[in-house]
Amino acid sequence: MRITVAGIGYVGLSMAVLLAQKNDVIAVDIIKEKVDLLNSRKSPIQDKELEEYLAEQIDVSMPTLRDQRPGLWATTDEQEAYKDAELVVVAAPTNYDIVRSYFDTSAVEAVLSSIMQINPEAIIVIKSTIPVGYTKSVREKMKSRNILFSPEFLRESRALYDNLYPSRIIVGVDEKDERLVGWGYRFAELLQEAAIKKDIPKLFIGFHEAEAIKLFANTYLAMRVGFFNELDTYAELKGFNTQQIIDGMCLDPRIGAHYNNPSFGYGGYCLPKDSKQLLANFEGVPESIIKAIIDSNRVRKDHIAEQILEKAGFDGKQDAEDYFKSDNPACVIGIYRLTMKSDSDNFRHSAIQGVIKRLKSYGAKIIIYEPTLKNGEEFYGDRVVNDLNTFKTDSNVIVANRFHSCLEDVRKKVYTRDIYQKD
C-alpha cells in the first residue's frame, strides 16, 4: 500500500518506520534538516530502536527506485507526498495554546487542507493528539467522510518499540459508515502486520470516545506522578524515608511498582498539555480531580525550588537579591540535564525548567550541563558548561531530576528526589 506520513516527530517517524517494513511509505515534513537526515538513514530524534531500524532494516530510497516495494523516503514536497497516497497518517504537532486554553490544531488543519487539494480521495488517519470533538468538527469543515482518528500511546525515546509492542490499537470511526469502519479495520491490520507483538487488543469506537481515551489516559498518568511526588514532599518535610513508604505501598498488586519514582514534576510532550486540554473539555461538567492534578504539579515545583535554595544556603530570611547578587561562588546552582528522561533529547516543558524559573526569580545564578547543547552557549540567559569536571567544580549545589553515576563523586552537592534511578 502507498502510505504517506505527515510530520517527522516522535509519532510520525516511528509510524513511518513501522509501516515501511511492509508498505511503500513517504514521510513529509516542512523542516528540510529532518528530511535530509532521514534520507541519510539517520534519525532526527533520539530513539535507539529507530536508529537501528533505519540503519539496518528499512530500505531508505526514492519510491521510483523501489517501484512500490516496502521502504521509506522523505520529502518536503507535499504534491509528491500526497498525490498517489491511498492512506495518509497525520502526525502534525498540536501544542497547547495558553492564551486560548486549548490545543493549537492549526498545523493539523494545514496538512488536511493540503491533502484535500491534492488528493481528496485518500483515507486520512489523524494520529495527532486533539481535543474531544475535533474529528467530527474537522470532517464537517473539510466536507470529507474520509477522516478517522487513532490515538497514539508512545513513550519518549521508546516510540518505535511501543509501536512494535503496542499495549492496544484504538481506532475512532463513524460507526454508521460501513466503508469508514472497514478502513478502520484495515488500518489496524496494517499496524498489527508490522508489529512484533501478536494478539494486540483492538477497539473500534466512536470519534469522541477515542479522543477522550487519549486525554484521560495521559491525565491519569500525570495524576500518578503527582501522587508519588506529593508523597515524597510529605516524607521529605517530615523526615521520613520515602522509599520505604513507596516500597510498602507498591507491594499491593492493585497499585503495582511502576511509575512511582519521585521527580521534580511531570513534563514533556504529552502530560502537561493533555491534562490541560482535558480540563478545558470539562467546561460545564462538575470536576475537582483534573484541576487538582495540574495544581499539584505547580505546587511540587514550588517546593523543589525552596528545597534547592535551602541547600544553597538561602534560608528565606535574608534578602534574596542581596544574597544572590554577590560574587560568592556558593551562590551558583548547577543544573544537571534539562531533558525529561534518560536517553532523550527532548526538554520541552521539562519540570526542571519550571524549577529554574523559580530559582531565577530569587536571583539565583544558574549554570547548565546539557550535552545536547553547545558548550559556552546560553539557554534562556544561563551559561551552558559541558565540561563535566568544570561544571562540578563551579556548582555549589547540583540539581538533578534524575541522578547519574557520573555525579557519585560529588553526591553531597547533589539535590535530587530520584530514588530508583529510573524514569
Side-chain angles (χ1 to χ4, degrees), residues 322-337:
D322 289 341
Y323 181 77
F324 286 109
K325 76 178 180 181
S326 70
D327 293 327
N328 182 0
C331 296
V332 178
I333 297 174
I335 305 298
Y336 177 78
R337 304 304 307 267

Side-chain angles (χ1 to χ4, degrees), residues 7 21 27 65-66 76 88 129 159 166 189 284 337 349 353 356 382:
Q21 297 175 90
L65 299 178
R66 289 189 275 114
T76 58
V88 180
T129 303
E189 287 171 7
R337 304 304 307 267
H349 301 302
Q353 291 189 63
I356 291 172
D382 299 315

